């Protein structure tokens, strides 16, 4: 009898209700692949973008981009993992919302014993995102100032701690006073409630009118124009998400008018496409956690069969820290 794994699938783009749990067959790994048995998997806004159709996918398709568990079998040519190894990943193709899967091995990383499965599932995509934002996107050094939107989310709380550990001033934004306090507790130098104040005016005030060296913006449409106005001349706009919707087309000449600004739209999956780079980024993240510079806060936990509720909670911006599906 063929072994199966309970897997979250969607057959059409739409709201959370389009997700269904199905029993999907498990096979043996081929060359360059492994079979991994998950213990926990993480939720991210990219999952929402894929499910909603913002990022179109061939359907039907499984969901989920990060998880942690135990390697059950390895295919020919896989040398960095063995059966029984603890492992974690953020990787393409989607399909992490499952009990077990066969997948490419290159972006799966050996997991240190001191990091729990739930921690790892909550931090791989978010933590490696912070790693490339601070180290692989634009030169940042001790004493620089960055503006980070959604500072109390899963990526944001890691970014607050990362900035503090490297002597970078982080000005965060969040939608409630409670979330602002959370960001400050995790290392933000300042945090602005964007619902009760003008974040552009406040950033200018906090920087003595100079503006920030870089903006890290995963919100998208609602914050994009204001983010540009927060930058100092030659500053870098890093637009790495679309939580409020995609950024509308705009005139590139605006960048010149506002001070010869620079702009980039990076993704994690470009940065981790090469095996060696992915493993190095994961090791950097693991060191931050093991050294105590970064702690992973998991504020929401849902069993796999409550994935619809988990997505609704995420989309309502009713979460703080990270969210995991437990298996």
């Amino acid at each position: 009898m063929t072994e199966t794994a309970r897997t979250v699938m969607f057959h059409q783009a739409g709201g959370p209700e389009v997700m269904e749990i199905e029993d999907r067959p498990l096979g043996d790994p081929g060359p360059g692949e492994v079979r991994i048995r998950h213990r926990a998997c993480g939720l991210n806004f990219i999952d929402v973008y894929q499910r909603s159709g913002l990022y179109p996918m061939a359907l039907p398709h499984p969901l989920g981009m990060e998880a942690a568990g135990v390697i059950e079998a390895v295919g020919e040519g896989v040398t960095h993992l063995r059966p029984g190894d603890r492992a974690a990943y953020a990787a393409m193709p989607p399909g992490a919302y499952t009990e077990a899967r066969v997948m490419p091995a290159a972006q799966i990383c050996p997991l240190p014993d001191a990091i729990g499965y739930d921690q790892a599932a909550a931090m791989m995509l978010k933590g490696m995102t912070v790693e490339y934002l601070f180290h692989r996107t634009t030169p940042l050094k001790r004493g620089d100032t960055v503006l980070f939107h959604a500072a109390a989310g899963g990526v944001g709380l890691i970014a607050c701690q990362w900035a503090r550990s490297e002597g970078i001033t982080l000005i965060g934004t969040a939608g409630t006073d409670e979330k602002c306090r959370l960001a400050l507790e995790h290392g933000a130098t300042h945090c602005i409630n964007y619902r009760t104040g003008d974040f552009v005016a406040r950033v200018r005030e906090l920087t003595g009118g100079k503006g920030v060296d870089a903006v890290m913006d995963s919100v998208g449409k609602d914050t994009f124009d204001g983010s540009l106005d927060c930058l100092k001349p030659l500053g870098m706009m890093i637009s790495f998400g679309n939580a409020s919707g995609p950024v509308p087309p705009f005139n590139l000449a605006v960048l010149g008018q506002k001070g010869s600004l620079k702009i980039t739209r990076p993704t994690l999956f470009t940065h981790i496409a090469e095996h060696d780079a992915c493993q190095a980024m994961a090791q950097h993240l693991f060191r931050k956690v093991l050294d105590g510079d970064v702690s992973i806060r998991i504020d929401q936990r849902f069993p796999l069969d409550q994935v619809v509720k988990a997505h609704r909670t995420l989309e309502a911006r009713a979460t703080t820290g990270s969210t995991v599906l437990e298996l």
Side-chain angles (χ1 to χ4, degrees):
M1 184 175 179
T2 302
E3 186 180 5
T4 61
R6 295 169 67 238
T7 303
V8 175
M9 300 286 298
F10 71 116
H11 292 255
Q12 62 181 5
E17 68 280 356
V18 302
M19 293 182 292
E20 302 174 359
I21 296 180
E22 303 177 7
D23 289 323
R24 303 275 291 179
L26 273 175
D28 294 321
E33 294 182 329
V34 300
R35 186 173 68 239
I36 182 170
R37 176 73 52 178
H38 290 157
R39 299 292 178 85
C41 53
L43 269 70
N44 297 279
F45 258 100
I46 191 173
D47 308 341
V48 173
Y49 304 156
Q50 292 168 348
R51 188 214 70 223
S52 69
L54 179 63
Y55 292 177
M57 300 173 66
L59 299 177
H61 211 290
L63 275 174
M65 304 300 292
E66 68 178 341
V70 178
I71 301 298
E72 290 190 330
V74 302
E76 181 182 354
V78 177
T79 58
H80 70 293
L81 295 166
R82 296 177 299 176
D85 282 353
R86 305 171 78 251
Y89 66 86
M92 290 285 193
Y97 292 3
T98 184
E99 294 173 324
R101 67 186 294 200
V102 171
M103 64 181 293
Q107 279 69 46
I108 301 180
C109 306
L111 180 65
D113 290 341
I115 298 177
Y117 292 113
D118 56 347
Q119 280 183 294
M123 78 182 195
M124 292 301 290
L125 191 148
K126 302 169 191 68
M128 289 197 293
T129 294
V130 172
E131 203 274 352
Y132 86 69
L133 288 173
F134 279 85
H135 294 275
R136 299 168 191 266
T137 307
T138 190
L140 291 172
K141 62 185 182 302
R142 182 173 295 273
D144 283 349
T145 300
V146 302
L147 173 64
F148 201 101
H149 292 295
V155 178
L157 292 184
I158 295 173
C160 290
Q161 297 172 81
W162 203 290
R164 178 173 59 188
S165 75
E166 301 199 348
I168 292 170
T169 297
L170 186 144
I171 302 172
T173 71
T176 67
D177 289 344
E178 180 183 9
K179 288 185 175 183
C180 284
R181 284 193 294 271
L182 192 59
L184 293 169
E185 290 169 3
H186 282 75
T189 310
H190 310 279
C191 195
I192 303 161
N193 184 339
Y194 62 82
R195 297 189 189 278
T196 60
D198 180 342
F199 74 83
V200 177
R202 182 64 176 140
V203 167
R204 288 289 171 180
E205 179 185 352
L206 289 170
T207 60
K210 295 178 180 179
V212 299
D213 296 283
V215 176
M216 301 175 179
D217 188 343
S218 64
V219 176
K221 176 174 65 70
D222 289 354
T223 52
F224 182 79
D225 291 339
S227 291
L228 293 180
D229 289 335
C230 291
L231 285 164
K232 64 173 55 172
L234 305 178
M236 172 64 84
M237 172 67 184
I238 308 171
S239 176
F240 70 102
N242 320 280
S244 67
V247 175
F250 78 104
N251 183 355
L252 279 175
V254 169
L255 300 178
Q257 296 163 8
K258 292 181 180 293
S260 300
L261 304 180
K262 295 166 282 188
I263 187 166
T264 184
R265 179 51 172 96
T267 71
L268 172 64
F269 301 103
T270 306
H271 285 87
I272 65 172
E274 297 296 328
H275 169 78
D276 288 347
C278 178
Q279 299 296 321
M281 291 170 67
Q283 289 299 319
H284 193 180
L285 171 62
F286 294 154
R287 287 197 302 273
K288 286 285 188 184
V289 173
L290 294 173
D291 290 347
D293 290 333
V294 171
S295 63
I296 306 302
R297 182 179 176 121
I298 303 171
D299 286 342
Q300 298 78 214
R301 300 173 185 267
F302 298 89
L304 186 67
D305 60 9
Q306 290 185 16
V307 64
V308 171
K309 181 179 179 182
H311 268 234
R312 285 180 174 146
T313 305
L314 185 65
E315 286 186 274
R317 301 192 193 182
T319 64
T320 54
S322 296
T323 303
V324 297
L325 295 174
E326 297 179 315
L327 298 163

